[in-house]
Structure formats: structure tokens, C-alpha cells
Amino acid sequence: MAPPRRRTAAEFQGNGGLMPPSVQVFASPCGSGGGGAVTTNGSDKSLRGKKPRGDTSVHSATKDTGRRRPAGRMPLWLVGIFVSLAFNVAALPLLLQQYIVNQPHHHHHGVISPDQQQHACAPQPGTSGATARAPSTGKPAVTSDSVINLDHGDPTMFEAFWRETGDAAELVIPGWQTMSYFSDISNVCWFMEPLFDQQVRRLHRTVGNAAVDGYHVLVGTGSTQLFMAALYALSPADADQPMSVVSTAPYYSSYPAVTDFLRSSLFRWAGDANSFVGDAYIELVCSPNNPDGAIRDAVLSSGAGKAVHDLAYYWPQYTPITRRADHDIMLFTVSKSTGHAGTRIGWALVKDREVARRMTKFVELNTIGVSKDSQLRAAKVLRAVSDGYAAAAGGATRHRLFDFGRRKMVERWRMLRQAAAASGIFSLPEETSGRCNFANETAANNPAFAWLRCDREDVEDCAGFLRGHKILTRSGNQFGADPRYVRVSMLDRDDAYDIFISRLASLK
Amino acid sequence: MAPPRRRTAAEFQGNGGLMPPSVQVFASPCGSGGGGAVTTNGSDKSLRGKKPRGDTSVHSATKDTGRRRPAGRMPLWLVGIFVSLAFNVAALPLLLQQYIVNQPHHHHHGVISPDQQQHACAPQPGTSGATARAPSTGKPAVTSDSVINLDHGDPTMFEAFWRETGDAAELVIPGWQTMSYFSDISNVCWFMEPLFDQQVRRLHRTVGNAAVDGYHVLVGTGSTQLFMAALYALSPADADQPMSVVSTAPYYSSYPAVTDFLRSSLFRWAGDANSFVGDAYIELVCSPNNPDGAIRDAVLSSGAGKAVHDLAYYWPQYTPITRRADHDIMLFTVSKSTGHAGTRIGWALVKDREVARRMTKFVELNTIGVSKDSQLRAAKVLRAVSDGYAAAAGGATRHRLFDFGRRKMVERWRMLRQAAAASGIFSLPEETSGRCNFANETAANNPAFAWLRCDREDVEDCAGFLRGHKILTRSGNQFGADPRYVRVSMLDRDDAYDIFISRLASLK
């Protein structure tokens, strides 16, 4: 077999990121800069309830013409000038609004002014953030004309659930708390908060999706960091060749990007596991799989090879819980289980102490541990999830995350299949189901991403085709698959999803 | 000149970490395991205001002897048995306490029971965290017999200040907040919270230690992550050789460790900048320097070389603010400015937009951004710092972090110089001073670490010598310097520092 193809230098730094070129559309300047960056924290959504600035500001230009009323009767030609001027002034904001709405990366909820537009295009460094009022609120809200960005798995669908829980998952952090680097010096993972460890184990016992007894729990800044930590831990320091890292196509687009961006000589991406030949490897097994939702096992079985199981989606809202997973290394993330992507918390269940120790060393060298504020927030959130399923909570209202999630995913997949059928030019993976031991019922697989294929003969690049219809997705070629496929996020907010569905249904 | 020495494979994985072998003392098992790990979260300090468990529980064993008063007169031999039994029972906890106190890495404030001790030695995976009650409280409290660990710059000295501020720096995080990956898609650093950006700029304007106008602010999971991001951003993808990374000795021990642990072919540690020959390099300039507190400038000046300025200690508590720094890349961290090491937040001020973009890409690939909870906490803390120096705050109590910090550091250095003089076998860097524009006075340098040298002829390994006296420090050889030097943290809690001082003064 030919040696694994090494990416060119350009590819390392270019398109290998988690934010494919479509996001570059958001980030690239589009004109000369000036003033401050427009933030997307949606000043209309600040915690202090500020009112949106209406478009009166656009009209303010007319206030300073400095004209005075001439004394006596006005000549007709002067009247004509006034009338045409007034017409132009009235028409201008309408034209601008059309123009700005059709600039996909500058649609902001509420006010749109040319001044803000210019600022948004190329923010002058040094002034951004000057008007910050509140914590951010993610991507801007959308309207029926917006570009709908479903390229990333931004899990804002879950916001609605957490709003309903009131203060059950609220965290208060006193100013003097958890200032030290150290959390528990007697633990292998010395920077891990015991409360977090406790709630992770409790949640897995509640859901039954993974064994925890006899496992070390490790915390990371997202499961992305723990993925790198696993590569570091499983790659011998003294090998002649980098350890080959493989996964069966279609594989998560981040695997090659994160494996190779530092061009480590410890490990190197070696492509599709199905075509890998060799004794030593690290096989990444993602199940349910990103991007296509397939239920997977490892395909390689050499004695010298190691598997890392990415179980980010192995939760009841996406898939039946058919067994208690007990692999050597299992990765999970708060981003996809509870929806708290902004908290940046993932965890690993690791059987082998030495592997756990080396993964911990990676996180130590990379970021001297993991934010304790994030860990405590994740612990509070996980606790609220488990509490929702605790036996006999008296008269307390129960907030059941997985019930909410499963209902939403069932509904969204129903809508999607209906829209694909209405369109006629798209196909989706077959629906599969299984016995869910958690919910005690048969349940379908409702993956977090739709692996959508464009069946039109003349469309070879589905992502490009959809982009032309203002729907941003991630091309199949990022996943080692045909560009007729795209990966579409099923986890965005209702407003974005609904527009996506209606637009998809109309495509022919 | 000989080519830069490449570290051996063993060195990559061995002792290059931020947690040198001395920490292995804490982490290694010391007996057969059983039950749960002992956490250091100090249940006596939980947010719910639980009372500390005093050592009455140790005596509880005496309460359950179940003795009843015998009817009638007791035979003398029976009385004798009872008396000796009572004596044994009373003596047992005293003996245990002695034993446990002398186990340096298992000293816990409050209750000490042999059961907890066993658990602490080799926690059985699967059960740690089972008894977690509250957020952690860092390293355990110490007594006059403890091993004093000043190897790391754990900034718990600042806890006392933040306790005094009441709720000025308290953060409340609702369950539904900042769930998205995105903070501000119009910013180069799209995962950075605008509130954080705002408070960083405000603080620098308040202190006058760095220019911010015309700079991009980037956030990282500690400045350690931003250090790696800078190496990534400044190393061309298509070079034949890894970019050389240098710093003048004594340099921060993490620089070689973090640069090389992944054996990236993009960049590689190349040692002491003073002996570097070449046109292309990245020079790390830490000022005030870690470990010796020296005020530094770049020493190399080739046109193709780049400097990264690590200004972690350029704050008034450590050094006079003599100028507004305006280098191309400047790194700061909350860990050393406010003491919130556990929050894991650092920031970079970057002039060049393309460099800022590439550093952002690093953080994206490494951890898909930075925890928003941590950013919002840091923003709240930084706001409280700036508020303390805001003009005319009416009758409000002002909490002045840098005043507190400078007072503490002055006092601690006074005590240290006194102790070194009393001992007679140690020397310290000369005291230097300068005009502080922030405080408007002349101020001495009071570095966050003491660069202590053992002058006894027969002591070649100062760290080993001090370890024998139960003081843990970091050997000079970790910093590219002579092992007669050690780096000692000046930032630990009063109890640990005071014991260190009295112990140091007694060494001959």
C-alpha cells in the first residue's frame, strides 16, 4: 500500500480547521475598517433588557443639513429639490436594508446601520468590546432571508430546556473560590474537582451508557483536548515513526485536523482505517458516528493497536442505550450531552492508570489543568440532569433532559425526512432503531447531524449547491467522503432549523 | 557553533513537565489502596458554612465503649482492666495523630483518621469523589512538621484579599447562559467574550503597563496555551527546519517543556538565547523574569527573528510600572495578576492581525476556544480590580489589589532577606527599584519567586539539600542554570510561607 499521504504544508495551516472556509466568510474583512467591532451579543437580548436601537439612527444624517427656511414664498424648483431630496432620504434606508440583509455574514438582529456594517467588516483593533453589556448569546438570530449556518454542531437547541429549569443549574462562584492550581493532589488527575468526578460517575450510573467502576475519570477543556491527550498517551516517545492515527470514513473532520496541525513526530493522521495496513495504530471509533450517525465498532484488531472510543453522542436523545460501554478509553463531552458547548468541558473514562497519568500530563503541559469554574458549572449541570431522573423526588418538578432531547430529535428528523421527500433531490441514511435500556422502550437513532446526500446528477458539490441557497453545511470531503454528501447540524435553535427545513423542501 | 542539542526521547517524556519530580512525591501511591481518595476540598470550608470538624471526632471512639456501671462493688482487678483499657483508648488517637502528621503528603486540616490515610495513598479508581462535598481548596493546610511545597507558583496568597472583597467579584451563571461555541463572530477571536475584552483593556489603561489601542486581545486557557499559540503562529508551515525557540538563561522551566513535548516539526527548543546563532528564531522575553525577577529586554535582533514578551509579572505588586509596554506580542495571565490560577485564563495583546488570526486558529484546533464561564469570571475579577482604583467611588469601600499585593510582597521579601541573613548560607538577587508610574512613587522589585542560591561549598544540589529539610523548591537546572540555585514561590499562603521562613533561617 502506498504510504499514507502527508498533507501539504498549505493544508496544515489552511483548511484543516474546525472552522472550514465557510466560517472564513464570517471572519474576513469586507471593506475599510473604522470604529468598533459589532458584537453579536445581541444588545437586544442583554440581561438588563435594553431596547434595540431602532433605525432612527439612520435618519439622523438628515438632522444636520443646517438649512434654514427661506423667508417668504418658495420657488417651485426649490420645492422640487426638496421633494426629490426627501424621496431619496426615505428610500435610502430601504435600499441599505436590502443590501445588508443579503450580505450573509452581517445580519444582525435589530438595527442595521451602514456605520455598524463598516465596523463589522474590518473591526479596528483596540476598540472592540467597548460597548459590551452582557454575556454573549451565540450566533445572531435569523430571519427568513438569513444565511442559515448549520456547519457546526452548535448545540443551542438545548437552551430552551435549560431556561425551563430555572435556577436548578445555576452556579454561584465567590470571588475567593478555587484560586489554586490544585484540586485533589491525591488523584491521578490532580486538577479535577471532586464534585465533577462525582457527578460524572453518577450520570453514567443513571443512564447506564458506560461503566465507571474501576475507571479513572479525567477532565479536559472539551473532549477535543482529551482526544489529543489520548494520542500523546498512546504514542511511544522513542518510536522511529509517528504512530498512525486512523478512523473509518466518513470520519469526524476534526480528527485529521487536530492530529496533524502541530506536525508532531509522535503521531500522524493515516487516513481511513478500512484501508490501513500495519500493526501499530490508534483507531478512533466514534459511535454514534460523526457525521453519519452510524453505530460503530473498531475495525482493526492488531495486538499492538489501540482504540479510542469517542462516545460524544452516546446519549438517549440521539440513540438507544443498548449496552453499558466498557472500552479502555471513552471520551464524552458536555457540549453534546447537555448542550453547554461554551463551558468547554469533556471527560475521559480510562482503565489503565499509566495511560491516565500520561493523558493528565498532556493537559498539564498544554494548559496546566482545566478551569475549575467550568468543572463546577458542568458538575452543577450534570447534577441537575441526574436529579431529573432520581427516584421519588417528592412533589418537585422534574426536568428531564433526555426526554426533552429525544422528543426534539424525533420531531426534527420527522421534519427533515418530510422536507427531503418534498424536495425529491436529497437522500438520508436509513432509520435504524434498537432497544433502549434507559428509557425501557424501542427507540430510533436520531443523530445530531444529518448526513445528507444530493442526488441530482449535475450537483457534484452539495455544500456549494446549498451555499448558493444560503444554507451553510460541511462538505463530505472534509470527512473523507464524497462531496455529494454534506453534514448538517440538527442541534441549532428552532428559528434557524425551521427556516432550513422550509428552504430545503423547496429545492429542486 | 554546534547545532542546538536535541533533547533525547527520554527527556521529552520525563522530567520536562511543569510538575517536576517533587510532585511525584505527592502523586505516588504509598500503600495498598482501598475506598475513596481523600479530597482536599476541606469540607470545613464548604459554601454552606459548615463548621470545621474539629478533632472531637477522633475522640468519638471513646464514646462507644458501651460501658455500663456494674451493680455493687467492682473487683479491683476489673477496675485495673478498665483503667488500662481507658488509657489505651485515650492514647491511641494521640499516637495516630503523631504518625499521620509526619506523613508529609497526607496532612489534612481537621480530622485525620487512618482510614482516610489509606485511601489517600492509592485511591482505588472508581470510587474517588464519592464523598465530595464542596469545591476544592487547593493544597492541604500545613503544620510546623509538614513538608512545605513552594515548587509551584500557586498564588493562594491572594485568597485573603478576595475574601475581603465580599461579593464584588462574585459571579452568578444561569443554567442557560453562554451555551454556544460562539461569542462574537465579527471578532478575530470569535470565542472571546466581549465583557472580558473590555475589562482587559480597562485594566491596562488603569495600570498603564501595556498599550491596548491598536491591539487585538486574544483569550487563552492560561497564558501557557497562548504561548503555544504564539509558537504556532510565528512558525512557517513550509520551513525545512523547525523554528528555533530560545530564551536567555535562567529561563522559565516550562518554556522547553511546553515547546517540545509534542515534538512538533514546526518549532523546537534551541536553548539559551545568549548563545544562539542564526537568523530565524522566536525569542521568549519574560520580564520581570521567571525565575529570577530580572527586568529584561530581547537580546537578539535579527530581522527574521520574532520576540514574544511574557509579561505575567509586570504588575505593581511585583515591580515598578516604569513604562507602557508596546511589544508586538504580549502575554498576561490572571494567575499572577489577581491570583485566580484555577480559572485558567490568560490573554495576549497582539499587533498584527494575521498573527492574531493564526493564534486564534491554534486555540480553535486545540480546545475549540476558551471556556466562557472562566472568561466571565475573569472579567468580573478584573472589573473589581479596576473598580478599586476608579476615581471618586463615593463612600464605597475600595479594595485595592495592587496595594495589598505590594504590601505583602514587600513584607515577604523583608522576611526572606532577614532569614537568609540569619542562616548565613544563602544569597539572593540584589534588590533593585525604579519609578512606578502607577503608584507615583519609587518602588522596589519584589519578584513572585525567590532565586535562592546555596553558598555552602559542599552543597551542589540546593533543591536536594532543601528537600532534606522538607522544603520543596524547583532546581536551577530546570531553568538552564546551576543546581546551586533554586526557585522558591513567594505566593503561597501565610501558614506555609511562615514555616518556610523559620525553617530557612535555622539552616546552617
Side-chain angles (χ1 to χ4, degrees), chain A residues 13 19 38 136 154 171 173 175 177 180-181 183 186 193 237 262-264 340 343 364 371 373-374 377, chain B residues 13 19 38 40 136 154 171 173 175 177 180-181 186 193 232 237 262-264 340 343 364 371 373-374 377:
Chain A
Q13 314 290 26
M19 308 287 279
V38 178
S136 69
D154 199 35
L171 184 69
I173 308 179
Q177 186 181 279
S180 171
Y181 285 110
S183 292
S186 69
E193 285 292 297
L262 288 175
R263 289 166 69 183
S264 166
H340 288 81
T343 289
E364 173 192 319
S371 165
D373 310 309
S374 307
R377 185 176 188 199
Chain B
Q13 312 292 27
M19 306 289 275
V38 179
T40 61
S136 68
D154 199 33
L171 183 70
I173 308 179
Q177 187 181 277
S180 171
Y181 285 110
S186 70
E193 286 292 296
Y232 174 79
L262 289 175
R263 289 166 70 183
S264 167
H340 289 81
T343 289
E364 174 193 317
S371 165
D373 310 308
S374 307
R377 185 176 188 200

Side-chain angles (χ1 to χ4, degrees), chain A residues 9 12-13 16-19 24 26-27 29 37-41 47 120 123 125-130 132-136 138-140 152-156 158-159 162-163 169-187 190 193-195 197-198 201 205 212-216 221 224-225 228 232 237-238 257-258 261-267 335-336 338-344 353 358 361-362 364-374 376-377, chain B residues 9 13 16-19 26-27 29 37-41 47 120 123 125-130 132-136 138-140 152-156 158-159 162-163 169-187 190 193-195 197-198 201 205 212-216 221 224-225 228 232 235 237-238 257-258 261-267 335-336 338-344 353 357-358 361-362 364-374 376-377:
Chain A
F12 280 121
Q13 314 290 26
L18 297 157
M19 308 287 279
Q24 299 312 309
F26 281 76
V38 178
T39 64
T40 61
N41 60 10
L47 294 180
T127 47
S128 49
R133 298 271 182 271
S136 69
K139 298 202 299 291
H152 314 96
D154 199 35
T156 41
F158 292 97
E159 282 171 344
W162 291 103
R163 283 186 187 276
E170 186 172 278
L171 184 69
V172 177
I173 308 179
W176 49 264
Q177 186 181 279
T178 51
M179 294 174 65
S180 171
Y181 285 110
F182 304 98
S183 292
D184 180 356
I185 58 174
S186 69
N187 195 340
W190 53 269
E193 285 292 297
L195 281 172
D197 181 306
Q198 181 178 24
R201 293 179 189 277
R205 289 188 181 109
V212 293
D213 290 338
Y215 279 83
H216 299 271
T221 311
T224 301
Q225 185 179 47
M228 290 187 80
Y232 174 78
D238 52 0
V258 173
F261 79 110
L262 288 175
R263 289 166 69 183
S264 166
S265 51
L266 297 177
F267 43 80
S335 305
K336 299 302 180 336
T338 69
H340 288 81
T343 289
R344 313 310 310 119
R353 187 183 176 86
R358 285 177 53 75
K361 173 62 78 174
F362 175 92
E364 173 192 319
L365 289 165
N366 184 199
T367 55
I368 319 183
V370 176
S371 165
K372 292 157 208 317
D373 310 309
S374 307
L376 293 171
R377 185 176 188 199
Chain B
Q13 312 292 27
L18 298 156
M19 306 289 275
F26 283 78
V38 179
T39 65
T40 61
N41 59 15
L47 294 180
T127 48
S128 47
R133 297 270 183 273
S136 68
K139 299 203 297 291
H152 314 96
D154 199 33
T156 42
F158 292 98
E159 283 171 343
W162 291 104
R163 284 188 185 276
E170 187 172 278
L171 183 70
V172 179
I173 308 179
W176 47 264
Q177 187 181 277
T178 52
M179 292 173 65
S180 171
Y181 285 110
F182 304 100
S183 292
D184 179 356
I185 59 172
S186 70
N187 196 337
W190 53 269
E193 286 292 296
L195 281 172
D197 181 309
Q198 181 178 25
R201 294 178 190 276
R205 290 190 180 106
V212 292
D213 291 337
Y215 279 83
H216 299 270
T221 311
T224 302
Q225 184 179 47
M228 289 187 78
Y232 174 79
S235 302
D238 53 359
V258 172
F261 79 110
L262 289 175
R263 289 166 70 183
S264 167
S265 51
L266 297 177
F267 45 79
S335 305
K336 298 301 181 337
T338 69
H340 289 81
T343 289
R344 312 311 308 117
R353 186 185 176 86
R357 200 193 61 75
R358 285 176 54 74
K361 174 61 79 174
F362 175 92
E364 174 193 317
L365 288 165
N366 185 199
T367 56
I368 319 184
V370 176
S371 165
K372 292 156 208 319
D373 310 308
S374 307
L376 293 171
R377 185 176 188 200

